[in-house]
Amino acid sequence: MKHSKVILILCCIVLSSCTTTKMLTSNVKPIEVTDLKMMEPFSYISMIKKGNKSQLDDSISFMSKQLIFKVLNNYGRQLPLTGEIILSDTATTNSLEKEYELLIQTADRTKNISNLKITPTLDKILEANETRFGLVIISTGFTRAKGNYGKQVAKGAALGILTLGMYYQVPVKAYSTIYAMIVDSKDNNVAFFRKSFLQDMEPLDESGMTKQFKNIFDGYFWNSK
């Protein structure tokens, strides 16, 4: 699991500094999504303490998860959220975590999600909670320890001087990626998928996360233009 999470982060980094991907939807119209339960999100935020080597930080990841709840609740009636589904069983949570990863990786590679079936554990949880739609959120990214970024910038500048400007490494200060997916237990498929990634944005920056969710659901639950 840890290796694949790292791959998700790296794939985002090489794409762009600030991007929201194309929105993928099923035949279900946004107006039909009236009973949407928020599934407990998963967050994987790493800390870079020395050099550019990152390590998953459980404390920061937990804070990121709590921030997701806060930001989404701040949208109020703009999002048709009718509650949350929080699991207490560790085994079920672990199974769900693996299924989320599979769904996201599959959705990220396809251009049509109408035939993307939801996974067994997720389907059972939604049906047990008498809920048709579930909102799945995954957050990944990294931040740096105090002083680390300045040291890496200095190293890049020194390299530029030594190579007469032919090579200059500009380190990425931080990164924030959010995957959002709406699953449909009635049609047994994925109704919505989109992701947003921001370079040099701290994953615990509330305004930055708010911007990401605004861009993710723009054109689906609201139109900013």
Side-chain angles (χ1 to χ4, degrees):
M1 288 293 291
K2 289 185 179 180
H3 292 297
S4 53
K5 292 167 192 170
V6 172
I7 291 173
L8 284 174
I9 296 172
L10 292 179
C11 286
C12 294
I13 292 176
V14 299
L15 291 176
S16 175
S17 60
C18 179
T19 302
T20 302
T21 60
K22 180 180 178 181
M23 179 170 56
L24 300 178
T25 62
S26 69
N27 295 326
V28 174
K29 298 179 180 180
I31 196 172
E32 297 178 60
V33 185
T34 55
D35 179 21
L36 179 63
K37 293 287 196 316
M38 182 177 176
M39 310 295 293
E40 184 173 5
F42 287 98
S43 185
Y44 312 103
I45 309 300
S46 297
M47 169 69 80
I48 298 177
K49 296 181 179 180
K50 294 183 180 181
N52 284 306
K53 186 177 181 180
S54 65
Q55 184 174 359
L56 187 65
D57 191 300
D58 292 336
S59 178
I60 298 177
S61 297
F62 176 78
M63 288 188 287
S64 172
K65 183 167 71 171
Q66 298 308 307
L67 186 59
I68 291 171
F69 281 116
K70 180 181 179 181
V71 169
L72 288 179
N73 286 328
N74 285 343
Y75 277 104
R77 294 182 179 179
Q78 287 182 284
L79 284 175
L81 291 173
T82 57
E84 301 168 354
I85 298 178
I86 308 297
L87 302 176
S88 58
D89 180 65
T90 302
T92 303
T93 300
N94 290 339
S95 296
L96 200 60
E97 183 179 23
K98 295 177 182 178
E99 292 183 6
Y100 282 0
E101 183 179 9
L102 176 62
L103 278 174
I104 285 175
Q105 289 181 338
T106 304
D108 213 16
R109 293 193 299 262
T110 186
K111 295 182 179 179
N112 186 349
I113 61 171
S114 296
N115 296 322
L116 180 55
K117 301 299 182 181
I118 62 175
T119 46
T121 304
L122 182 55
D123 191 26
K124 290 179 181 178
I125 291 172
L126 291 172
E127 291 182 352
N129 285 271
E130 299 180 344
T131 299
R132 177 178 177 179
F133 297 103
L135 176 60
V136 175
I137 302 293
I138 303 292
S139 172
T140 68
F142 70 84
T143 185
R144 292 177 183 269
K146 185 177 180 180
N148 175 271
Y149 181 66
K151 291 180 181 179
Q152 298 310 306
V153 171
K155 288 181 180 180
L159 178 63
I161 293 173
L162 291 172
T163 60
L164 300 179
M166 294 180 66
Y167 299 99
Y168 185 80
Q169 293 181 345
V170 180
V172 176
K173 186 176 182 180
Y175 216 91
S176 175
T177 304
I178 294 178
Y179 301 83
M181 177 180 287
I182 296 176
V183 292
D184 184 347
S185 65
K186 179 181 178 181
D187 290 343
N188 197 36
N189 65 1
V190 175
F192 171 95
F193 174 75
R194 206 174 194 183
K195 71 178 179 181
S196 168
F197 34 99
L198 288 175
Q199 182 173 304
D200 293 322
M201 175 61 68
E202 291 290 341
L204 295 183
D205 185 300
E206 184 174 342
S207 62
M209 184 179 288
T210 300
K211 177 181 179 181
Q212 287 185 275
F213 278 117
K214 179 181 179 181
N215 291 337
I216 284 173
F217 294 119
D218 188 24
Y220 192 72
F221 286 129
W222 54 70
N223 289 287
S224 61
K225 297 180 181 179

